[in-house]
Amino acid sequence: MTDTRGPQPPHETYGGEQPVQQGTQPYHPPQAYPSPPGGTQGGQQHPGQQTSAGAAVRRPRTGATTQPRTRKARLRVAKADPWSVMKVSFLLSIALGICTIVAAAVLWMVMDAMGVFSTVGGTISEATGSNESNGFDLQSFLSLPRVLLFTSVIAVIDVVLATALATLGAFIYNLSAGFVGGVELTLAEDE
């Protein structure tokens, strides 16, 4: 029987040493190296050609990107501490109350400087007045101290309600997070 498979590579020797073949070179993919000046197609070498050190420069891959990877982490808010929620909501509602009082005072001063109270007050006193009385005095009713007192009362009620509702919201969130697992957040590292 004749062997029609052609030349076969030498088998491994008993000590694990491969016999070294003279004149063979490692495989070079065709797209990785430029064509040598001899004009071989795709940069492949024929067995008789020699490569110079300058011709074996590797080309960069076209699809490679050099952007750094952004690290991301998925976290879950499992519990909100009601005491810390109460403290934070109390401070934020006090700040909101102070802003409300300052905004009301500035708005009253601007409207008084524009003459809105005197014009509207004169119209209302003419409409409600009679021969014996002057009618309703809007300017004395909407004086600055009275407006600031009313705004301060609204701000105090807002502080109490906002603090109580935020604390109650923290308790309700903790109960619902026990059932459904809480709110999941995806955090990315800032570059």
Side-chain angles (χ1 to χ4, degrees), residues 100-137:
T100 303
I101 293 170
V102 170
V106 169
L107 183 63
W108 188 91
M109 289 180 199
V110 168
M111 290 176 71
D112 188 44
M114 291 173 56
V116 172
F117 295 126
S118 61
T119 306
V120 174
T123 305
I124 289 177
S125 65
E126 285 178 12
T128 58
S130 62
N131 292 337
E132 303 89 34
S133 65
N134 292 335
F136 181 72
D137 188 13

Side-chain angles (χ1 to χ4, degrees), residues 50-136:
Q50 296 288 330
T51 49
S52 65
V57 176
R58 191 171 183 105
R59 291 186 200 164
R61 288 184 283 164
T62 57
T65 59
T66 59
Q67 296 177 350
R69 289 179 49 193
T70 303
R71 291 192 311 175
K72 292 183 180 179
R74 289 188 63 151
L75 300 175
R76 185 177 44 148
V77 180
K79 183 183 179 204
D81 184 29
W83 176 249
S84 65
V85 169
M86 186 183 78
K87 290 188 294 187
V88 169
S89 64
F90 178 72
L91 290 177
L92 288 178
S93 58
I94 283 180
L96 182 65
I98 291 171
C99 290
T100 303
I101 293 170
V102 170
V106 169
L107 183 63
W108 188 91
M109 289 180 199
V110 168
M111 290 176 71
D112 188 44
M114 291 173 56
V116 172
F117 295 126
S118 61
T119 306
V120 174
T123 305
I124 289 177
S125 65
E126 285 178 12
T128 58
S130 62
N131 292 337
E132 303 89 34
S133 65
N134 292 335
F136 181 72

Side-chain angles (χ1 to χ4, degrees), residues 2 12 17 37 44 46 61-62 64 76 78 80 83 85 110-111 116 141 146 150 181 183-184 190-191:
T2 56
E12 207 174 297
E17 298 175 0
Q44 292 180 342
H46 296 295
R61 288 184 283 164
T62 57
R76 185 177 44 148
W83 176 249
V85 169
V110 168
M111 290 176 71
V116 172
F141 182 73
R146 187 174 280 188
F150 180 72
V183 177
E184 288 191 4
D190 194 12
E191 295 181 18

